[in-house]
Amino acid sequence: MSKIISLHGKNSSLILATTEENLPQIVYWGKLLNLSETEQQQLVSQLVQPVPQAYLDKPVAITLLPTLGDGAFQASALAGTNLQQAWAPQFKLNIIEQIDQHSIRLIADDQIAQLQVKLNLSLNKYDVLEQTIELINLGDKDYSLDNLSLSLILPAEINQIIQFHGRWIHEFQTQQSTWDQPNYYVENLKGRSSNDNPALLMLCETGCSEQNAAVYGFHLAWSGNHQYKLISLNDGRRLVQFAEKLLPGEIILTKHASYITPTLYASYSAAGFNGISANFHSFIRHSSQFIPHVLPYRPIHFNTWEAMYFEHDLTKMAQLIDRAADIGVERFILDDGWFKARNHERAGLGDWFIDQQKYPAGLTPIIEHVKRRGMQFGLWFEPEMVNPDSDLFRAHPEWMLQIQGYTQPLGRYQYVLNLALPEAYAYIHQCIYALLSTHEIGYIKWDMNRDLVQAGNCNNQPSVHQQVLAVYRLLAQLRQEFPALEIESCASGGARADLGILRYTNRVWTSDCNDALERQNIQRSFSYFFPPEIMGSHFGPEQAHTTNRLATLEYRILTNFFGHLGFEQNLLELTDAECQQLSFYLDLYKRYRQLIHSNQLIRLDSNDAGQNVYGVIDATQTQGLFAIAQNGFPTQMLAGKLRIPNLNPQFNYRLKLLNIQENTGYLMKEKPSICIGEVIMSGRLLTQIGVQLPIMHPQSILLLLIEHIK
């Protein structure tokens, strides 16, 4: 007997169908669709598929867990063996538990293979679909799991692929291509989310844009190895599969042991890429799964790294503290170099004790100075790593992830500690706990600067999976012990940015690149899945350290407005005039950060390839703030009009530039009205026709305020 199961979000629905004892298959995922009983019966009648010649005699349904044993050849989502048996199971559904209109739980067994699966699906009120599978070994023999994928089916018209890739200082690059091959496969084996192949994906129909057409977004919440496959099915539909990438022998299930997949978060929107962002941003902001911000606002950071590197000098430190406070910084973070023997990157990691030569009185005088100037104090750690030149490594070389008998490759002159080893875990926890419990430290910058190679445990078994879980466990323990503590996820830039780590951290360091031009692209792509207040976005020096590119102060500071703002520059190099200019912009940021950090981010389409336009409109449609970034040379000689969505057509609005372009005489003989003073326009005109923009220099930004006139 067939059954229809429907899950509903706010604007979308997922409809499943089961036949006999089979696991459900997806028959619809798209716009909100409430079926009547008659329509459900009609849908059941359409479940019978034709069977082509030269094929199996019965149709093979691609279920939520397609298997090789059922004839789902390329689509098989489970691989494993029980002493060369149980390698082609067939699961029979025995429990369907519809928890509410949003959630369902399914249990299926294979009595021959002695395996059980529990599938959990939830389509929440933010239109984000959450999916996990638990596999349980019911037999006496150990079961070696090779792969367990989460599977979702999309309509055949979805034929555009937007992938995310990159490298250090060039993260979150996007590539759009047409789905014109039968299969695509992407994997990451670096032991962290990675900056070259993060587990992020968007799929859409032809003609999709920021504001229009159907889009599906996918994000695997896992901070380790992962893979995804894109498969064209026989009937033209699209199959998407995400999984943790397991190393050989990494997951061995003893009797009654189980493995739970990372959660796959996926979302549908008919409103283009902005719709996907709105769903994910709302979910991250409001779901209890993620860590709320301790403070009601995001403090402006100053980080000491590019100002001091390893050369910590108390006089210079005091000057930096005063300069930071004077221009309006709210949190002062002491980066790498504060602990024992840390005079360069080749020594000291693992010895988390204050360097008595650099800080003979400890950190307390520095922290008290920071607090007196009205700022919070934060501290840098890299707890998962150890240098060979350290007391810790000399005492416990067996604590690192390694395979005995091989020479472990170094990365950044460091090894990775095996935090799944209780002794190593306890040592690192105690080091951090001691510092946090004896000092007023409100913030940790938690870094992780290398990929995992030969990540073996004490028995030489692969241990990436256990390492990720140990990191999660350590973060959770510290959060429980210090509830007011905020933690940043940093991994040589944005190499650990995922919804797994964000269950334990408040912020992501997006990239080690502070070049404003590069940041424009990095931050735009980052914003597809992550809201602005999570995005670490820092002002850097006039000449960027990572690219040598020059940029004006205004372009650098305004590039970072729509994120969590901070500083990475040596503030002592700034002139008095530059400090005054920065103070002005920091006051402006403080005035509007709540607007930016609590409303839907909107990216606008532009026919100018060098232009990036983005902003927010509040929920009451009474206030908005937009950035018009002219990053490259304008495509057209004359600038176009800016059409602003999400406004009330019946309201009148006042538009005002919060910064004024300089040296524009070479660009325009006559300026548009927005450059001269305030402009008054109705919401209908602004949305349908728009406001005339000026011609802009490359690498310049306009900040436009929009306010309802009552």
Side-chain angles (χ1 to χ4, degrees):
M1 181 177 180
S2 299
K3 178 180 176 61
I4 298 297
I5 305 166
S6 297
L7 303 179
H8 302 293
K10 182 181 179 181
N11 298 305
S12 64
S13 296
L14 180 76
I15 299 176
L16 310 168
T18 64
T19 55
E20 300 176 346
E21 297 179 319
N22 294 326
L23 282 164
Q25 57 179 304
I26 295 174
V27 294
Y28 176 82
W29 181 21
K31 293 180 181 179
L32 190 66
L33 182 60
N34 286 295
L35 299 178
S36 66
E37 289 188 12
T38 300
E39 288 173 321
Q40 290 187 40
Q41 294 172 2
Q42 293 170 347
L43 185 56
V44 167
S45 70
Q46 296 302 308
L47 295 179
V48 179
Q49 292 181 317
V51 179
Q53 293 292 339
Y55 197 62
L56 301 178
D57 290 346
K58 289 187 177 181
V60 176
I62 303 300
T63 69
L64 290 172
L65 184 63
T67 64
L68 184 63
D70 288 323
F73 299 109
Q74 291 92 345
S76 182
L78 174 63
T81 183
N82 173 349
L83 294 179
Q84 299 181 338
Q85 299 178 28
W87 54 270
Q90 292 182 330
F91 291 98
K92 299 302 180 185
L93 182 64
N94 54 41
I95 295 179
I96 302 176
E97 181 184 359
Q98 181 126 19
I99 299 169
D100 52 35
Q101 68 169 344
H102 300 292
S103 305
I104 192 170
R105 184 167 178 258
L106 309 164
I107 300 178
D109 298 304
D110 183 331
Q111 296 298 328
I112 297 174
Q114 295 185 291
L115 296 172
Q116 183 181 80
V117 289
K118 297 179 180 179
L119 291 84
N120 293 284
L121 272 174
S122 177
L123 182 56
N124 60 45
K125 61 183 179 181
Y126 311 106
D127 290 304
V128 175
L129 180 66
E130 305 174 51
Q131 184 184 17
T132 62
I133 301 176
E134 181 179 6
L135 177 69
I136 305 167
N137 181 16
L138 302 178
D140 294 324
K141 300 176 182 178
D142 290 353
Y143 181 83
S144 178
L145 177 64
D146 298 324
N147 178 64
L148 183 56
S149 293
L150 299 144
S151 304
L152 293 169
I153 289 181
L154 279 59
E157 60 266 24
I158 299 303
N159 65 350
Q160 297 295 307
I161 304 170
I162 295 92
Q163 294 174 281
F164 293 76
H165 63 96
R167 58 178 175 83
W168 178 67
I169 66 171
H170 197 59
E171 297 89 340
F172 299 102
Q173 306 301 303
T174 57
Q175 176 178 313
Q176 182 166 345
S177 56
T178 299
W179 191 329
D180 56 6
Q181 300 295 320
N183 301 299
Y184 296 83
Y185 177 72
V186 174
E187 70 175 13
N188 164 55
L189 287 167
K190 293 192 169 183
R192 52 183 181 173
S193 312
S194 89
N195 45 28
D196 45 358
N197 286 310
L200 305 171
L201 178 70
M202 291 192 296
L203 302 172
C204 60
E205 58 188 2
T206 300
C208 188
S209 66
E210 297 287 0
Q211 298 163 262
N212 296 294
V215 184
Y216 295 84
F218 303 86
H219 184 149
L220 188 70
W222 184 244
S223 307
N225 296 338
H226 56 258
Q227 65 181 38
Y228 66 82
K229 293 168 63 177
L230 307 178
I231 301 167
S232 297
L233 299 177
N234 291 336
D235 60 2
R237 291 179 301 162
R238 312 299 195 174
L239 176 65
V240 180
Q241 294 182 321
F242 274 80
E244 177 187 3
K245 176 69 176 178
L246 298 174
L247 298 174
E250 188 164 20
I251 300 295
I252 305 294
L253 301 180
T254 57
K255 184 176 183 179
H256 298 310
S258 67
Y259 166 83
I260 302 176
T261 65
T263 302
L264 176 60
Y265 295 104
S267 188
Y268 164 83
S269 175
F273 305 134
N274 281 334
I276 291 296
S277 296
N279 295 346
F280 274 99
H281 292 189
S282 296
F283 176 53
I284 293 169
R285 282 170 169 164
H286 303 298
S287 171
S288 61
Q289 296 181 35
F290 304 106
I291 300 296
H293 301 304
V294 178
L295 297 176
Y297 60 90
R298 309 307 301 132
I300 298 170
H301 283 196
F302 172 72
N303 193 67
T304 64
W305 177 242
E306 290 194 11
M308 301 180 67
Y309 296 105
F310 297 109
E311 302 297 325
H312 289 213
D313 175 85
L314 291 180
T315 301
K316 183 178 181 181
M317 185 79 69
Q319 293 171 341
L320 283 169
I321 292 169
D322 289 334
R323 176 61 62 89
D326 288 343
I327 65 172
V329 169
E330 298 160 309
R331 182 181 276 156
F332 188 94
I333 299 157
L334 185 60
D335 208 285
D336 197 358
W338 58 266
F339 50 97
K340 183 179 178 182
R342 191 63 168 174
N343 299 312
H344 46 74
E345 61 183 348
R346 301 184 183 220
L349 285 178
D351 298 339
W352 300 106
F353 308 99
I354 299 167
D355 189 325
Q356 295 300 315
Q357 293 184 345
K358 294 179 182 177
Y359 299 96
L363 294 180
T364 299
I366 295 293
I367 296 174
E368 289 178 347
H369 190 173
V370 169
K371 302 292 281 188
R372 281 196 305 271
R373 294 308 312 268
M375 296 184 291
Q376 261 197 0
F377 181 79
L379 195 60
W380 180 93
F381 286 91
E382 194 171 4
E384 300 157 66
M385 303 297 163
V386 61
N387 286 123
D389 185 4
S390 66
D391 292 344
L392 176 63
F393 185 80
R394 283 185 282 271
H396 295 287
E398 75 279 6
W399 283 8
M400 76 174 184
L401 285 171
Q402 60 186 311
I403 302 176
Q404 296 294 333
Y406 290 93
T407 300
Q408 168 67 255
L410 283 166
R412 291 283 294 265
Y413 310 105
Q414 59 199 43
Y415 296 129
V416 184
L417 282 173
N418 179 9
L419 290 182
L421 188 68
E423 298 85 351
Y425 179 100
Y427 167 82
I428 292 298
H429 169 261
Q430 180 55 38
C431 287
I432 301 174
Y433 182 90
L435 284 158
L436 295 182
S437 59
T438 56
H439 298 82
E440 286 190 72
I441 300 171
Y443 188 88
I444 286 179
K445 181 180 178 183
W446 187 294
D447 214 339
M448 194 272 199
N449 275 317
R450 63 153 292 178
D451 301 321
L452 274 57
V453 182
Q454 289 190 321
N457 61 17
C458 297
N459 298 318
N460 290 337
Q461 297 167 324
S463 193
V464 175
H465 176 82
Q466 293 300 329
Q467 180 76 1
V468 174
L469 294 182
V471 171
Y472 288 167
R473 189 164 63 252
L474 180 56
L475 288 165
Q477 183 175 355
L478 291 169
R479 294 302 303 254
Q480 185 176 18
E481 293 164 340
F482 303 95
L485 181 69
E486 293 195 359
I487 303 176
E488 174 180 18
S489 173
C490 177
S492 51
R496 189 153 65 184
D498 61 80
L499 293 185
I501 204 71
L502 276 175
R503 294 189 180 120
Y504 312 97
T505 58
N506 307 83
R507 185 186 201 249
V508 171
W509 178 231
T510 324
S511 177
D512 283 344
C513 182
N514 292 312
D515 180 328
L517 182 61
E518 293 297 327
R519 274 280 183 160
Q520 281 285 327
N521 188 45
I522 290 170
Q523 294 177 177
R524 184 182 181 100
S525 298
F526 182 89
S527 76
Y528 283 120
F529 288 92
F530 303 100
E533 64 272 20
I534 282 172
M535 178 173 66
S537 183
H538 285 198
F539 173 94
E542 180 182 17
Q543 186 170 25
H545 289 200
T546 52
T547 65
N548 278 341
R549 185 182 281 123
L550 297 170
T552 65
L553 183 147
E554 185 176 70
Y555 184 65
R556 286 177 281 143
I557 192 69
L558 291 182
T559 286
N560 297 295
F561 247 56
F562 284 79
H564 182 185
L565 179 62
F567 286 82
E568 209 73 22
Q569 181 178 8
N570 182 357
L571 301 180
L572 302 180
E573 295 174 350
L574 297 171
T575 65
D576 290 342
E578 288 174 323
C579 287
Q580 290 177 3
Q581 193 177 3
L582 285 172
S583 293
F584 167 79
Y585 280 118
L586 293 196
D587 288 342
L588 205 61
Y589 176 79
K590 292 173 183 177
R591 192 182 313 163
Y592 295 110
R593 65 180 160 193
Q594 190 61 29
L595 174 69
I596 296 168
H597 293 167
S598 60
N599 290 286
Q600 177 186 341
L601 179 70
I602 304 166
R603 295 173 302 271
L604 300 186
D605 297 301
S606 175
N607 61 357
D608 185 339
Q611 194 176 73
N612 188 10
V613 184
Y614 48 93
V616 294
I617 302 290
D618 72 358
T620 64
Q621 299 176 303
T622 59
Q623 189 179 50
L625 188 69
F626 273 78
I628 301 97
Q630 188 65 51
N631 298 317
F633 200 84
T635 303
Q636 289 84 29
M637 180 175 287
L638 296 179
K641 291 183 172 63
L642 174 64
R643 293 186 293 170
I644 303 170
N646 297 6
L647 298 176
N648 188 319
Q650 306 305 318
F651 286 180
N652 278 323
Y653 291 92
R654 179 186 295 110
L655 282 72
K656 179 183 178 182
L657 288 180
L658 298 180
N659 65 315
I660 304 298
Q661 280 191 299
E662 298 178 353
N663 303 319
T664 57
Y666 291 100
L667 299 178
M668 296 176 289
K669 297 177 182 178
E670 187 170 345
K671 297 180 180 180
S673 57
I674 192 65
C675 292
I676 300 170
E678 297 178 349
V679 171
I680 308 296
M681 292 183 72
S682 72
R684 182 169 59 176
L685 281 178
L686 282 170
T687 299
Q688 299 299 325
I689 296 178
V691 60
Q692 178 64 53
L693 292 174
I695 302 170
M696 298 172 63
H697 287 292
Q699 292 185 225
S700 65
I701 296 180
L702 294 177
L703 198 61
L704 179 66
L705 178 66
I706 305 158
E707 293 181 308
H708 170 223
I709 302 174
K710 297 182 181 179

